[in-house]
Amino acid sequence: MRIVILPKENLAEFIGHLRSFGELHAPTKRGEKSLVFAPVSDLSEIELNYTRTILPLKKYFFKATDVMFNFCAEKGYELPVEEADKKYVIFGVHPCEIHGLKILDLVFGGKYVDTYYFARRSKVAIIGLDCIPDDLCFCRSTGTDFVDTGFDLFLSDIGDSYLVRVGTSLGDDMVRAADSLFRQVKKEDREAYKRNSVQRRDSFQAEIQLQDLPGIMDLEYESHVWEEVGEKCLSCGICSMVCPTCYCYSVFDELSLDGNTGQRKRIWDSCLFKDYALVAGGHNFRAQRSSRVKNRYFHKQRGFVSQYGRPSCVGCGRCKAYCPAGIDIVEVISKLRSEIRV
Amino acid sequence: MGKPKVGVYGLTGCAGDQLVILNCEEELLDIAGALDIKSFPMAMSGGDENCPLDIVFVDGTVVQPKDEEMLKNLRERAKLLIAIGTCAVWGGVAAMSNETPREELKNKVYGPAGQVFDTVVPQPLSSFVKVDLAISGCPIEKEQLLQAVASLLHGDLPRLPNYSVCTECKMSEYPCLLVEKGQLCLGPITVAGCKARCPSYGRPCIGCRGPVEEANVSSEVRLLREKGFTWVDIQNRLRTFAAPADCFEDKILKEGANA
């Protein structure tokens, strides 16, 4: 892997260069405290020291609501027209977020490839940026605190400069296009990078024990912890919306008044919604809120492991940060592990 | 098949939901083209007040004996009765003080003038007749109305959201007013459909669309109490638009308050 150094005083200029590779998006402020990925025009709009945005990057590839096709009684159906050649550069993407995308790649790239997702994925360059965990981050436990792949460039803060790992040929083009802004790695850069890496590793406060968790979950299927969480849960669906790896959607048709045309659409869905497991005939497989909460945890930490060999949780902390009822995944898992039951 | 025969009527209320129909300016000709509007007293005179109807849209609440009479008559005339607006679906603001005796309330509001008319305890349409479809909102969302009409023209009922305002709020990535600002927001228990309009302007949801199915009111009350809101503030907010709803029964509210 090619590694170069970008002195911080050159970052603004480099960001200017990036704009020639596509529309630039980066974490930027919304409201007083919140952050979102949104279009930016220069470095002054970018929040470099952030922990998490409200929505993860899935919003770019798997949109909250999406038109799948238009239909017409005479003409059949046709795919919606997208700006075919428009490219995007997303700057400031944290490792957990990149892992989230890699998980979605697995899911949407399975037996039935989701072409909507991958058509957008191929138009977006990812510029990663490392971060300092806050008290809600547990990506170290989920093994998603660091990335080796899944980015075009990845910037790590080493004091006065960024150590830049080049992940793809597109990333290499980006560096070459602004060649004079970069320099070679020196001894002190190597040392700073390794020192920071240890420091970052030691700064995690939250932890989840993932080893043997699928087994523990099977054993604790009847645990009263699920009842407790079910009583608190508002079924508001926020945790699913903000989760980097929640990918459920519901499909429906929207008709026009002319009775002749319409659109097939999809919209983000959540297993916490009452109707999620409702089937024709009126039976609901998960009519109780507690069973829906349990299902969400089981799918992330148990079912996904069986299917893909790893949990789908990336430890970003959003589900806790944005839960109005204050449900804390770290607490739920640790209760499940320590619970004593007759 | 001919165009469906339609009536649009209002009981006691501000008529804002009927106004939404008239405000569909771009689509009004399409609506008029697709439906045979037999009567719409707010919009036209000379309607047919007796003919059988395929669909009747009704807004407002039953507040006077004549509302009940009119509603029952409409039910008899129409194959499908559609409640439009939070008043029709949940009772609305007219029902926010149903625990106060009617005479006392009337006297307080109207004084001696209140002697000249009768009122009953305000109730949503479903307390009196079978409602085939409920489109809530204060007022209703134009898009939901148009989708409902389009679906009905296809012989289907429309798909209305059965999740909370929070879902739409997060889909649009608005900062959470409960979590970030500690405001008295009813997003988690209020049914979606408005695209979180109030939170989009930084204002908390006041529950004007009525509760979402299976709303966890006691958890909402608990979290608002933890944020320091008084029981009176919480109760007033909860009971503004949909006080007759089962989930806002005194017993359930108190459970949350004492938790």
Side-chain angles (χ1 to χ4, degrees):
Chain A
M1 183 180 278
R2 187 176 173 213
I3 300 177
V4 287
I5 299 295
L6 175 68
K8 281 188 176 170
E9 65 263 25
N10 293 349
L11 181 64
E13 202 180 332
F14 180 56
I15 282 180
H17 275 277
L18 286 177
R19 293 180 63 194
S20 61
F21 288 86
E23 186 177 286
L24 186 65
H25 288 240
T28 186
K29 272 216 162 125
R30 178 170 289 176
E32 284 161 37
K33 296 182 203 157
S34 292
L35 291 136
V36 299
F37 277 101
V40 291
S41 46
D42 58 53
L43 182 60
S44 67
E45 295 171 37
I46 302 176
E47 290 290 321
L48 292 170
N49 299 311
Y50 78 105
T51 41
R52 60 183 70 75
T53 52
I54 300 176
L55 288 182
L57 284 197
K58 72 176 178 187
K59 69 174 183 179
Y60 287 105
F61 312 107
F62 165 49
K63 296 189 170 185
T65 57
D66 211 355
V67 177
M68 303 180 80
F69 54 80
N70 300 302
F71 55 83
C72 170
E74 288 91 37
K75 283 191 273 179
Y77 71 90
E78 54 190 16
L79 292 172
V81 189
E82 291 217 19
E83 298 161 89
D85 298 322
K86 190 161 178 186
K87 304 262 185 207
Y88 298 86
V89 176
I90 305 183
F91 177 88
V93 185
H94 289 168
C96 62
E97 194 83 66
I98 292 173
H99 278 282
L101 287 181
K102 289 166 81 168
I103 287 172
L104 291 186
D105 289 349
L106 281 176
V107 173
F108 287 128
K111 191 174 169 193
Y112 303 102
V113 174
D114 191 295
T115 49
Y116 305 97
Y117 174 87
F118 284 105
R120 292 179 188 132
R121 193 83 165 85
S122 64
K123 291 181 205 158
V124 176
I126 303 281
I127 315 291
L129 178 69
D130 70 359
C131 45
I132 297 299
D134 69 5
D135 56 341
L136 303 180
C137 298
F138 56 95
C139 54
R140 184 148 183 83
S141 303
T142 50
T144 49
D145 57 327
F146 190 83
V147 272
D148 297 307
T149 58
F151 53 82
D152 295 284
L153 293 175
F154 195 98
L155 279 62
S156 301
D157 192 330
I158 54 164
D160 296 336
S161 313
Y162 291 103
L163 181 137
V164 181
R165 289 182 288 148
V166 181
T168 60
S169 58
L170 175 62
D172 197 49
D173 290 346
M174 288 169 170
V175 170
R176 283 178 198 280
D179 205 34
S180 62
L181 301 178
F182 293 86
R183 63 169 174 78
Q184 296 301 310
V185 180
K186 292 187 211 156
K187 177 169 175 279
E188 49 273 31
D189 302 322
R190 285 200 306 267
E191 277 163 15
Y193 179 74
K194 290 196 280 185
R195 202 168 49 239
N196 285 3
S197 178
V198 173
Q199 210 173 24
R200 181 166 174 266
R201 189 194 312 155
D202 292 343
S203 58
F204 281 91
Q205 302 159 57
E207 194 187 354
I208 278 190
Q209 265 302 326
L210 281 183
Q211 288 82 359
D212 79 356
L213 186 58
I216 298 278
M217 294 193 77
D218 282 340
L219 289 169
E220 292 302 333
Y221 192 80
E222 304 295 340
S223 166
H224 69 86
V225 167
W226 304 121
E227 301 297 324
E228 270 174 39
V229 185
E231 263 172 44
K232 258 180 135 179
C233 174
L234 296 152
S235 283
C236 67
I238 287 180
C239 52
S240 301
M241 304 300 118
V242 302
C243 178
T245 64
C246 266
Y247 50 77
C248 285
Y249 59 85
S250 143
V251 177
F252 61 99
D253 289 345
E254 234 172 56
L255 304 158
S256 310
L257 284 172
D258 60 16
N260 207 26
T261 56
Q263 292 188 312
R264 177 151 299 176
K265 290 184 165 182
R266 67 177 177 186
I267 185 166
W268 287 352
D269 202 351
S270 166
C271 53
L272 296 164
F273 295 161
K274 176 94 197 280
D275 291 354
Y276 185 85
L278 179 69
V279 293
H283 183 68
N284 194 332
F285 287 95
R286 287 188 285 274
Q288 301 302 314
R289 202 158 41 225
S290 56
S291 71
R292 301 200 288 271
V293 170
K294 177 157 73 178
N295 173 71
R296 183 165 195 275
Y297 279 81
F298 262 75
H299 180 238
K300 297 269 169 205
Q301 310 289 354
R302 167 81 189 82
F304 207 86
V305 180
S306 305
Q307 204 175 348
Y308 295 99
R310 57 148 300 140
S312 66
C313 175
V314 295
C316 70
R318 283 187 179 91
C319 53
K320 156 120 199 245
Y322 297 108
C323 176
I327 295 172
D328 177 357
I329 175 172
V330 176
E331 195 185 303
V332 172
I333 302 286
S334 99
K335 261 193 183 168
L336 213 58
R337 284 187 169 278
S338 61
E339 194 203 25
I340 299 179
R341 207 152 57 83
V342 241
Chain B
M1 200 182 79
K3 295 182 200 172
K5 297 180 182 59
V6 172
V8 183
Y9 289 90
L11 308 178
T12 299
C14 73
D17 306 294
Q18 296 179 71
L19 199 57
V20 169
I21 301 180
L22 293 175
N23 279 346
C24 295
E25 289 175 16
E26 301 236 327
E27 300 84 1
L28 215 47
L29 288 177
D30 291 334
I31 296 175
L35 306 174
D36 179 9
I37 298 173
K38 289 292 183 193
S39 178
F40 190 169
M42 184 178 157
M44 65 189 217
S45 44
D48 186 337
E49 302 307 324
N50 300 304
C51 66
L53 297 167
D54 293 303
I55 306 166
V56 65
F57 294 93
V58 185
D59 87 349
T61 312
V62 175
V63 178
Q64 306 171 69
K66 66 171 188 183
D67 288 329
E68 186 181 342
E69 199 183 310
M70 180 172 162
L71 176 63
K72 287 183 170 159
N73 173 258
L74 290 172
R75 179 68 273 190
E76 273 174 31
R77 283 175 68 196
K79 284 186 198 148
L80 282 178
L81 187 142
I82 301 179
I84 52 170
T86 300
C87 283
V89 178
W90 294 109
V93 289
M96 70 164 73
S97 270
N98 281 1
E99 69 285 357
T100 313
R102 229 38 220 161
E103 279 311 306
E104 187 188 322
L105 209 55
K106 208 159 92 169
N107 198 34
K108 218 165 157 182
V109 177
Y110 295 101
Q115 306 288 331
V116 299
F117 59 89
D118 271 347
T119 79
V120 295
V121 176
Q123 289 294 328
L125 310 191
S126 58
S127 300
F128 302 91
V129 295
K130 178 175 175 271
V131 171
D132 299 294
L133 174 67
I135 303 175
S136 73
C138 187
I140 53 168
E141 295 296 324
K142 172 183 150 179
E143 286 309 318
Q144 284 195 343
L145 174 84
L146 294 173
Q147 270 309 303
V149 172
S151 296
L152 290 166
L153 286 169
H154 282 77
D156 205 357
L157 287 176
R159 172 190 178 280
L160 295 172
N162 197 15
Y163 42 78
S164 75
V165 168
C166 289
T167 305
E168 291 186 332
C169 187
K170 281 301 140 292
M171 281 181 178
S172 297
E173 223 174 353
Y174 302 132
C176 181
L177 297 165
L178 272 168
V179 171
E180 275 192 18
K181 294 198 166 169
Q183 294 187 2
L184 208 172
C185 183
L186 297 189
I189 56 165
T190 303
V191 72
C194 56
K195 307 265 186 283
R197 185 177 288 110
C198 294
S200 81
Y201 291 105
R203 305 294 302 161
C205 170
I206 57 172
C208 81
R209 301 180 52 74
V212 66
E213 190 186 352
E214 225 184 57
N216 191 348
V217 177
S218 53
S219 180
E220 171 82 11
V221 171
R222 204 180 312 139
L223 75 91
L224 292 174
R225 294 282 279 175
E226 280 165 15
K227 292 190 193 303
F229 292 104
T230 68
W231 177 225
V232 174
D233 286 344
I234 297 169
Q235 213 176 1
N236 285 347
R237 180 62 58 86
L238 289 175
R239 295 174 63 92
T240 305
F241 290 95
D246 289 346
C247 64
F248 295 140
E249 265 176 28
D250 269 356
K251 190 171 69 75
I252 293 170
L253 295 192
K254 279 188 183 124
E255 244 174 55
N258 298 329

